[in-house]
Amino acid sequence: MTHDPFDVLRVFTTASGQHGRYCSLAALESAGLGAVSRLPVSLRLVLESVLRHCDGENITEAHVRALAGWQPQAPRSEEIPFVVARVVLQDFTGVPLLCDLAAMRDAAAAAGGEPGIVEPLVAVDLVVDHSVMIDHWGRPDALELNLQREYERNRERYAFLKWGTQALRSFRVVPPGTGIVHQVNLEYLCRGVHERDGITYPDTLVGTDSHTTMIDALGVLGWGVGGIEAEAAMLGQPLYFLTPDVVGVELTGRLREGVTATDLVLAVTERLRRERVVGCFVEFCGEGTAGLSVTDRATIANMAPEYGATTGFFPVDARTLEYLQHTGRSDEEIERFEAYFRAQGLFGVPAAADIDFSRLVTIDLAAVVPSLAGPKRPQDRIALDELPARFRQLLAGRPDEGGYGLTAEQIDARVPLAGGGEPAENREDALPADLGHGDVLIAAITSCTNTSNPEVMIAAGLLARAAVGRGLTVRAGIKTSLAPGSRVVTDYLERAGLLAPLAELGFALSAYGCTTCIGNAGELAPAIEQAVAGHGLVCTAVLSGNRNFEARIHPRIRANFLGSPPLVVAYALAGRIDIDLAHEPLGHDADGRPVFLRELWPTRAEIADTLAHASDPDSYRRRYGAIDGGPLWQDIPVPNGARYHWPDSAYIARPPFFDGFTREPSPPADIRDARALLILGDSVTTDHISPAGSFRADSPAGRYLQSLGVPPAEFNSYGSRRGNHEVMIRGTFANVRIRNRMLAPGADGKPVEGGWTLLDGERVTVYDAAMEYGRRGVPTLVFAGEEYGTGSSRDWAAKGTLLLGVRAVVARSYERIHRSNLVGMGVLPLQFSDEDSAHTLNLGPDDRFDLPPLASLKPQQTLELTIRSPDGSVRQVPVLCRIDTPIELTCFRHGGILPWVLRQLLDD
């Protein structure tokens, strides 16, 4: 730091007498820049970055003054340029990101530049965690078999990643079979504070997965962004965002006996969705917060995207230091971390009265009850004692109101399975005698949300041990799996003697990765899939994950519920979701006596005693001290060279985003005589827009791969194919549960589902319609309702939209990341005003749309959308331009972030 206009450089001293220089926030307050000590802690961490990078050019004194003087209820019009310390990636988003960088190097060379100008300037870690599938389960060798199959499927992708490690200086890859990115980040990648040029500064980051927010539990500020924003951050560009509102969440009291951190986060998610915290920083405070362990905090921070916030932040305190020590960080790292945060006045969880929040929400921990969330959204919490009645209501409810439209006779029907109930050699081949609505078909202990929390994992193991001791078993046909977020989990479960009883119930170790939570549940038995599809059964999945959107977990399973790991075990034992766990037994023991959940559920004291015996900091040091991927990873050859050579591949292809690249941008073309490609409802997720899971042979993506000679058995998943834009464009808006309101209901009165639209009055796939509109030179629009783009930070949801020829999206409201991704790809996000919507305006497939010339576009400008209907009527309705800042407008005018950044690199 050579520029110190505010004279803020100070020295801190550690407990052992070591010294470090830092940019003092207290010095800013002393200089009269504002009541910095009353700012939310999360904002102070952003302010530190702005202050440290203040060079008078890209980041100015005015930026520092504006943020230091932040006011809780002020209008939000100021941009913050935020430079992060590092970037984390997972492979589903990391592979296409690396494709973009490789293509950017090609474009730089074609423009007469040096390919090496495209080089990360911050540390980048990619954890391969999204590709493993639960092909095998319930058997001792499931882990080994699934890992082998993962390498067979993804060898081309992994070779490409290894090219990246030799081509890019600051790019590291954590190989498959290590864990889930957010848990690995929490347990290992985060080192607390950094030092550069003699200045100590706090860790900050962004990641290409929305659940990057999990790191906020350590007092490390981080959140999820799209891959295109992450690329800019990697290349040293500041992230620009509007100064946020900061919502304080004061936790009071303590959790009751039998209530888990999962129950708490589902309650928090439900409450904060109601509070409308989308786009806000959320920061936790109060005595209840201080009493939570870091792993409980991590469960809450992880699901910030589900409650809509940019962050779910917890300040650093003594609990943080305990966690760092417990997870094997060095004494020197912990000492320096503590000394820095104490010197900055950032140590300790503040009381609500000590901070000026935009608004304050209070949650009583004692009011939290055991719950699940579902069947389609994580914010739809249902208390366990209300679940049986609620599920029956959903079965009978109208499809257009979230129900399944079944009659009373249909609800109680059972479907016999041929060969069901007969003995089988292993769990994978066993079938139940029959199936009915509400039967559990998948029970998965999965996802970093919960597997990073030893308390709930130990609870699941203790419950399993008690169930085995009473002679309970899991019914045939339920696909059970255990897929922790790190190998440390199996270490402590094994030391506690709990792996064996979990395996005995079918929860054998299957993988270290996201698996079921990301949609990699694998196939169900063919007889089960045929019965479910043929009879329209509403069967269920129960998982300890963070997402349960339609068709995400498995395309055949229509009701998906999130819950704690011990509840996953309980519902696997019960075999059905509509059981009254308080009054109905899970099963019967050898003597015929009923066994109730309350008899098996471990006490908090039992969990604590078991964990104290099983925990070992050396386990973290040992597991993370030698990450080499083993022979399977080491045997993959490493392509060499600064530029990638793009061999023929159905997995990796040069993306078209730099085709026709010029040193000067062309002005955006006007949008006139546009047609609606889709008209969608509320809560359309990025899973609806760009699914990650499996796809059928008769889908556009399936037909394309078969034309290349790829058989359906080798399709893998959409997520694994994100390095090939030809697959992904065909998968955009191809979710089997997406509902385009342009189509009339089917003969049964239910909405038509799948990636269909209307073209000249005929039903065709969205892909085919988009290609035909492109041939005709007709621009297209997408219309949507509330919360458009909820879910993953999935840049292909924006990339695919662009490549389909969609020029603008008009929605009632947006989720933060997807709106930003649309701008980042040069797609115009617009927002209906007041009560207007596609529904109230009665928009249809034959309407035509015009927008004013885009050359004079301004941030947050109100535009007139002209609607010309077939009857000759013309209407003009106001829509808000959701390009929110001048920087975003510049990005849009360049055709997106990627060409804009490349032009800057070439100019420099």
Side-chain angles (χ1 to χ4, degrees):
M1 179 178 178
T2 58
H3 192 68
D4 184 16
F6 298 102
D7 188 26
V8 296
L9 283 179
R10 300 290 187 271
V11 175
F12 69 89
T13 304
T14 70
S16 63
Q18 301 297 312
H19 302 291
R21 294 199 303 160
Y22 71 108
C23 297
S24 170
L25 297 174
L28 276 184
E29 185 163 353
S30 298
L33 269 72
V36 173
S37 59
R38 291 195 59 83
L39 292 179
V41 176
S42 52
L43 274 192
R44 281 183 262 174
L45 292 174
V46 177
L47 177 58
E48 189 281 337
S49 174
V50 175
L51 179 61
R52 180 166 34 89
H53 289 95
C54 179
D55 56 9
E57 297 178 4
N58 295 316
I59 299 179
T60 67
E61 294 180 29
H63 288 125
V64 176
R65 292 181 183 278
L67 187 53
W70 177 87
Q71 296 298 312
Q73 280 85 37
R76 304 303 177 202
S77 58
E78 298 287 339
E79 288 180 299
I80 301 175
F82 183 40
V83 179
V84 297
R86 58 190 179 96
V87 174
V88 295
L89 317 171
Q90 40 92 336
D91 56 300
F92 269 17
T93 52
V95 167
L97 181 150
L98 190 58
C99 286
D100 290 345
L101 293 182
M104 191 182 289
R105 283 192 166 186
D106 291 346
E114 170 59 44
I117 64 174
V118 180
E119 177 69 43
L121 299 181
V122 300
V124 181
D125 290 292
L126 184 151
V127 179
V128 182
D129 64 355
H130 272 52
S131 295
V132 64
M133 292 187 179
I134 305 299
D135 294 300
H136 298 280
W137 55 278
R139 50 191 290 175
D141 56 355
L143 173 66
E144 179 183 359
L145 292 174
N146 288 332
L147 191 60
Q148 289 175 350
R149 189 73 181 103
E150 175 186 358
Y151 272 92
E152 290 169 3
R153 288 185 174 117
N154 297 285
R155 189 175 178 84
E156 293 176 45
R157 297 172 65 236
Y158 296 167
F160 181 56
L161 291 178
K162 294 186 83 169
W163 168 80
T165 62
Q166 62 82 42
L168 305 172
R169 290 190 300 271
S170 304
F171 181 73
R172 297 189 303 178
V173 174
V174 177
T178 303
I180 302 174
V181 57
H182 309 305
Q183 190 162 343
V184 174
N185 192 23
L186 192 75
E187 295 176 353
Y188 168 64
L189 295 176
C190 173
R191 310 314 296 184
V193 293
H194 302 269
E195 184 176 338
R196 176 179 290 182
D197 300 328
I199 305 295
T200 299
Y201 56 96
D203 190 16
T204 55
L205 66 145
V206 291
T208 57
D209 189 286
S210 54
H211 297 104
T212 302
T213 51
M214 187 167 175
I215 202 65
D216 292 341
L218 277 180
V220 172
L221 187 62
W223 62 82
V225 296
I228 44 184
E229 276 190 282
E231 289 166 42
M234 288 167 57
L235 298 172
Q237 301 293 314
L239 294 171
Y240 290 89
F241 59 97
L242 279 179
T243 308
D245 283 352
V246 182
V247 177
V249 177
E250 181 184 27
L251 301 181
T252 63
R254 57 175 297 178
L255 296 175
R256 293 184 292 172
E257 184 70 46
V259 176
T260 68
T262 316
D263 300 318
L264 172 56
V265 74
L266 297 181
V268 168
T269 300
E270 177 189 45
R271 174 69 182 280
L272 293 187
R273 270 289 169 185
R274 288 205 309 263
E275 296 287 343
R276 295 185 176 272
V277 299
V278 172
C280 299
F281 281 19
V282 162
E283 184 168 315
F284 293 86
C285 60
E287 292 184 4
T289 297
L292 294 177
S293 68
V294 164
T295 51
D296 284 355
R297 297 174 188 181
T299 300
I300 298 169
N302 178 280
M303 288 188 69
E306 280 63 56
Y307 43 86
T310 303
T311 66
F313 184 79
F314 291 82
V316 171
D317 66 352
R319 296 268 187 162
T320 317
L321 304 182
E322 291 172 7
Y323 179 82
L324 294 175
Q325 185 178 38
H326 171 75
T327 50
R329 269 69 169 206
S330 70
D331 292 342
E332 181 181 355
E333 287 176 313
I334 298 170
E335 183 181 88
R336 195 168 188 84
F337 180 82
E338 179 181 7
Y340 175 84
F341 276 86
R342 287 191 182 278
Q344 283 282 33
L346 298 175
F347 192 88
V349 175
D354 294 337
I355 302 294
D356 295 327
F357 291 116
S358 301
R359 53 194 166 103
L360 186 68
V361 176
T362 300
I363 296 176
D364 180 7
L365 299 181
V368 177
V369 298
S371 305
L372 296 184
K376 300 176 183 179
R377 301 190 306 175
Q379 64 262 43
D380 296 331
R381 185 188 64 83
I382 307 173
L384 290 193
D385 59 0
E386 299 172 359
L387 184 55
R390 177 62 181 143
F391 186 71
R392 196 168 184 91
Q393 290 173 355
L394 287 165
L395 290 177
R398 290 173 45 175
D400 59 355
E401 296 177 353
Y404 298 98
L406 302 178
T407 65
E409 183 179 2
Q410 289 173 323
I411 289 173
D412 295 323
R414 306 285 303 175
V415 177
L417 266 65
E422 299 178 2
E425 290 187 12
N426 57 60
R427 290 180 184 274
E428 293 178 347
D429 298 327
L431 295 174
D434 57 19
L435 286 177
H437 301 292
D439 283 8
V440 174
L441 293 183
I442 290 178
I445 300 176
T446 179
S447 172
C448 51
T449 309
N450 286 290
T451 69
S452 62
N453 191 320
E455 287 87 354
V456 293
M457 295 300 289
I458 291 289
L462 291 172
L463 192 150
R465 186 169 68 187
V468 169
R470 294 291 300 273
L472 300 187
T473 60
V474 172
R475 190 199 68 201
I478 299 178
K479 190 169 189 177
T480 45
S481 60
L482 170 63
S486 85
R487 290 182 175 261
V488 173
V489 176
T490 44
D491 286 347
Y492 66 67
L493 287 175
E494 190 165 30
R495 279 193 296 270
L498 300 177
L499 269 184
L502 282 165
E504 191 165 340
L505 292 181
F507 292 95
L509 183 62
S510 301
Y512 295 100
C514 297
T515 62
T516 304
C517 189
I518 189 59
N520 286 351
E523 298 301 320
L524 301 174
I528 291 177
E529 291 214 17
Q530 290 166 13
V532 170
H535 296 271
L537 295 179
V538 183
C539 294
T540 66
V542 185
L543 64 151
S544 61
N546 47 44
R547 296 266 165 84
N548 56 345
F549 301 134
E550 291 181 295
R552 178 185 176 99
I553 306 306
H554 190 283
R556 297 296 187 196
I557 295 183
R558 299 168 64 191
N560 304 285
F561 291 89
L562 307 179
S564 66
L567 283 179
V568 172
V569 176
Y571 280 99
L573 291 166
R576 58 190 178 90
I577 202 69
D578 57 352
I579 183 174
D580 181 348
L581 289 174
H583 301 100
E584 294 182 70
L586 295 174
H588 293 78
D589 63 17
D591 297 325
R593 292 174 300 186
V595 180
F596 292 91
L597 179 60
R598 58 182 174 269
E599 301 174 63
L600 308 180
W601 196 272
T603 66
R604 186 170 291 144
E606 287 178 280
I607 295 169
D609 290 346
T610 305
L611 187 56
H613 165 72
S615 297
D616 180 12
D618 284 338
S619 179
Y620 293 86
R621 287 189 281 264
R622 183 176 65 256
R623 288 296 189 185
Y624 290 118
I627 301 176
D628 60 10
L632 289 172
W633 179 257
Q634 294 165 13
D635 288 346
I636 295 177
V638 184
N640 293 315
R643 293 173 62 184
Y644 191 63
H645 299 298
W646 306 105
D648 289 341
S649 170
Y651 276 105
I652 305 296
R654 181 191 282 115
F657 305 122
F658 296 99
D659 292 354
F661 175 81
T662 58
R663 296 289 290 264
E664 294 296 327
S666 301
D670 291 338
I671 299 175
R672 301 194 64 79
D673 204 31
R675 305 294 285 270
L677 185 61
L678 298 105
I679 299 176
L680 306 170
D682 295 339
S683 297
V684 170
T685 71
T686 51
D687 279 274
H688 286 115
I689 303 167
S690 183
S694 60
F695 50 95
R696 297 194 299 258
D698 61 353
S699 67
R703 292 195 296 270
Y704 171 74
L705 286 176
Q706 289 174 93
S707 75
L708 300 181
V710 180
E714 300 300 322
F715 280 178
N716 209 335
S717 65
Y718 278 123
S720 68
R721 297 279 178 180
R722 286 181 185 162
N724 187 319
H725 60 278
E726 294 289 359
V727 175
M728 297 310 297
I729 186 177
R730 289 164 171 82
T732 304
F733 297 110
N735 184 298
V736 297
R737 295 284 175 245
I738 195 170
R739 301 175 186 90
N740 184 357
R741 295 187 174 187
M742 290 165 61
L743 280 73
D748 58 0
K750 295 180 181 179
V752 174
E753 296 182 327
W756 302 101
T757 192
L758 291 178
L759 175 68
D760 301 334
E762 299 293 326
R763 191 172 90 169
V764 299
T765 68
V766 171
Y767 171 77
D768 288 338
M771 295 303 100
E772 179 59 29
Y773 279 131
R775 283 188 285 272
R776 299 178 185 179
V778 175
T780 56
L781 308 179
V782 169
F783 292 91
E786 301 279 1
E787 299 177 355
Y788 183 69
T790 300
S792 301
S793 57
R794 193 163 293 175
D795 54 335
W796 259 111
K799 288 178 174 178
T801 299
L802 171 73
L803 294 181
L804 285 177
V806 175
R807 295 292 312 285
V809 176
V810 190
R812 288 276 301 153
S813 66
Y814 292 90
E815 205 74 348
R816 173 186 63 88
I817 298 176
H818 186 60
R819 184 206 63 82
S820 177
N821 282 343
L822 289 172
V823 176
M825 290 310 302
V827 177
L828 178 62
L830 301 172
Q831 188 165 316
F832 284 114
S833 298
D834 301 323
E835 299 303 315
D836 285 343
S837 69
H839 176 69
T840 62
L841 295 170
N842 197 30
L843 301 183
D846 297 321
D847 289 322
R848 298 169 186 262
F849 307 93
D850 300 329
L851 283 165
L854 301 183
S856 57
L857 197 63
K858 295 182 176 62
Q860 299 188 345
Q861 177 184 6
T862 297
L863 305 174
E864 293 291 334
L865 173 67
T866 299
I867 306 168
R868 292 182 283 114
S869 299
D871 63 2
S873 63
V874 178
R875 293 171 287 168
Q876 289 188 324
V877 299
V879 291
L880 178 67
C881 170
R882 285 303 313 275
I883 295 176
D884 288 348
T885 70
I887 289 293
E888 286 188 343
L889 182 58
T890 300
C891 168
F892 177 78
R893 286 176 171 162
H894 277 264
I897 285 179
L898 302 182
W900 178 40
V901 169
L902 180 55
R903 290 184 179 108
Q904 292 180 77
L905 293 173
L906 289 168
D907 289 344
D908 290 342

